[in-house]
Amino acid sequence: MSKTRVYQLAKELDISSKELISKLEEYDVEVTNHMSTLEDDIIEIIKELYKSGEGNMNSADDENAIGLPESISVKDFCDKIGKSVTEVMTKLVSMGVFATINQEIDFETAETLALEFDVAVKLEGAEEEEAEYGIEDFEDDPKDLKDRPPVITVMGHVDHGKTSLLDAIRETNVTAKEAGGITQHIGASEVYVDGKKIVFLDTPGHEAFTSMRARGASITDIAILVVAADDGVMPQTKEAINHAKAAGVPIIVAINKMDKPGSNPDRVKQELSEHGILVEDWGGDTISVPVSALKGEGIDNLLEMIVLAAEMQELKANPNRLGTGVVIEAKLDKSRGPVATVLVQKGNLKVGDPIVAGASFGRVRAMINDKGKNIKKANPSTAVEILGLSDVPNAGDTFNAVKSDKLARQIGEKRKAKFREANLNATTKVSLEDLFMHIQEGEVKELNIIVKADVQGSVEAVKQSLAKLSNNEVKINVIHGGVGTVTESDILLATASNAIIIGFNVRPSSAVSNMAERENVDVRIYRVIYEAIEDVQKAMKGMLDPEFREAVIGKAEVRATFKVPNIGTIAGAYVKEGKMARNAKMRLVRDGIVIFEGDVSSLKRFKDDAKEVQTGYECGIGIANYNDLREGDIIEAYIIEEIKRD
Ligand code: GDP
Ligand code: MG
């Protein structure tokens, strides 16, 4: 929904724009510079809500609640809520807590206690916790703000021309003097249009801002959505749209490959409209530009449009404070040590500055720009490679220049300790198993779900069935659905939006499974739609039966196949992970899609029967009632294990 519309609607309902925006977010409406017709229904719902007085139920108490830390001494608690020590101690004793006035009580106790006094409290937010000593953290005075260049990412379906477009953009801008020189690749490039700078990030857009968003950072100001005119909207195009919308980043559509005989820009526009993107000549306000990256046509026009869209955003930053921004990429270089490409977002970064990036720290030893030149100082919206960090930070980490080396080290080490602790307490994300508990505690009002399936039909069927499960307590949002296996990008999106992932007849790769585990994302794989729906339904009622769960014990790759008379096809396989076992169940995965599920019927090492074959060994595997094995297939062995309940 557009900002103006929010403003008007807020006025009409006589509430603050801020309140309305948070309400809109509950209904998944992002406030951007765009507007779509879909939103009219939601506006009606919200109007109804406010008119019936239900809309502002929970926003009010939150505002007045007193912030408390995770642990507080009884004395400080008394001060905070403005009650006498005697009153508080008496209540505590009646609750069965015997504490001295200097003793610390945890937030839960403090909250219960506060309730006794009819005082609303809340756990001090992450921002307050994040305020670290030594990190410069103040709001800029508007008069200190200067214009800054826009930061752009390019997204779209594979082969639609993202790389070609970036190349074409760079080429248009290469000056004669540079043309021959080899420019060092730093994952970002700067181009000039009528003397105005634009910064392009090379990282595929999805990752660029989804991983950043998962860490609460946003880096891009505008997303360029590349759609091939001869191919139209494809799965990754939709994914890109979802990512951009989720991050609230305005989109400019580049309809590419206009030179191709089969190009059909109108069809592209039509398809985009079906996905909530209404281009200008269709009455919407999304800019679309026809281009040919191959022939270099329309590129100037696209760049002009970017400049225009950026001007509308009035992007500003204070260049005169300690530099801060985001790590875009980082790696360990054999000769140069940890190397990070960072985007300076505020202030300026100079060679010699002490710096912390995530949990790594150091001093900026050298800065290299996109042209491969050493520079001394980087202002807002500049991407530079920096040397001098103690170790490799994560993409998406924020970095800050600080006043001294000592501070940098202290902050870095404190963060390291904190991460270690956080890992121990493994952050709890929503999972089907504990959904009901969260619902009961009022923590979950929405369940975000990502659906991946082998065919579009299943995606649609699941989406529709899931949507019907929404009730008064929980709203089910399918935030993304697509054909294909579960990817890292899905896990990132799930992390960013606290979603669970439901897959049909697909298998995530080991890398993706590991990532899901690391990020605590609940990924559930089903063979039958009805079972998935039933699980979600049960989870909402707290009746999910998590007593048995399958555990993958190993994976083997089929390297050759042999036909054995009277027995069938046997796979000559190599155990890549875990082990194969003769009594295990198995599934056959081809290109991430499950094509058969059944039992291992025979397992041999050379000529001998084997009970188990471990990683790194070759073996012969037979599958009960199945012969269509092919080279490259993955045999995944699993067992059904009982989950021990506490
Ligand atoms: P990416 O996967 O989105 O980065 O796509 P690429 O930039 O690698 O392009 C995929 C293929 O499309 C390559 O063979 C390009 O040469 C071709 N291609 C890209 N842009 C155009 C274009 O404007 N016209 C034509 N005819 N081909 C293009
Ligand atoms: Mg590419």
Side-chain angles (χ1 to χ4, degrees), residues 154-167 226 228 230 255-261 291-297:
V154 177
M155 312 202 291
H157 195 69
V158 64
D159 280 349
H160 278 198
K162 299 179 290 294
T163 307
S164 310
L165 185 66
L166 272 167
D167 285 346
V226 181
D230 60 336
I255 305 183
N256 190 31
K257 308 200 184 182
M258 288 299 290
D259 59 289
K260 278 197 149 182
V291 298
S292 164
L294 196 71
K295 299 225 148 57
E297 282 160 14

Side-chain angles (χ1 to χ4, degrees), residues 292-471:
S292 164
L294 196 71
K295 299 225 148 57
E297 282 160 14
I299 307 295
D300 288 337
N301 192 12
L302 176 65
L303 291 173
E304 298 279 343
M305 289 304 164
I306 294 172
V307 170
L308 243 151
E311 270 167 9
M312 278 170 49
Q313 292 194 41
E314 296 179 19
L315 304 164
K316 286 180 192 301
N318 175 2
N320 298 310
R321 54 186 286 177
L322 290 172
T324 171
V326 182
V327 175
I328 303 169
E329 276 174 10
K331 60 180 183 216
L332 189 63
D333 187 291
K334 276 209 195 77
S335 55
R336 299 186 297 167
V339 178
T341 301
V342 302
L343 175 73
V344 180
Q345 294 179 301
K346 257 196 249 178
N348 66 78
L349 188 64
K350 293 186 294 296
V351 169
D353 280 349
I355 184 176
V356 268
S360 71
F361 55 91
R363 179 185 267 250
V364 181
R365 213 169 63 218
M367 280 200 292
I368 299 123
N369 73 4
D370 66 311
K371 309 285 186 308
K373 289 210 185 77
N374 275 287
I375 58 169
K376 289 268 177 279
K377 183 177 171 188
N379 277 327
S381 295
T382 310
V384 284
E385 209 174 62
I386 60 169
L387 307 185
L389 286 170
S390 59
D391 38 13
V392 184
N394 294 315
D397 279 345
T398 45
F399 77 83
N400 296 82
V402 292
K403 289 218 169 74
S404 73
D405 293 328
K406 195 172 148 206
L407 259 178
R409 171 183 294 272
Q410 276 173 359
I411 297 168
E413 276 169 1
K414 207 181 259 173
R415 284 185 185 169
K416 239 175 234 151
K418 205 163 155 192
F419 288 155
R420 240 176 271 135
E421 195 181 328
N423 271 343
L424 286 179
N425 302 339
T427 45
T428 39
K429 290 260 164 59
V430 172
S431 72
L432 277 192
E433 261 148 41
D434 54 19
L435 177 66
F436 183 64
M437 185 187 86
H438 289 299
I439 295 173
Q440 287 222 307
E441 288 176 0
E443 289 164 11
V444 172
K445 299 221 164 54
E446 299 192 358
L447 176 62
N448 288 338
I449 300 183
I450 295 171
V451 179
K452 295 304 285 278
D454 52 347
V455 291
Q456 187 62 35
S458 311
V459 178
E460 287 310 319
V462 177
K463 269 173 134 174
Q464 285 172 15
S465 317
L466 284 175
K468 286 192 198 128
L469 295 181
S470 293
N471 59 26

Side-chain angles (χ1 to χ4, degrees), residues 220-237:
T220 56
D221 300 308
I222 296 170
I224 306 298
L225 180 67
V226 181
V227 191
D230 60 336
D231 204 20
V233 171
M234 298 302 280
Q236 281 163 288
T237 319

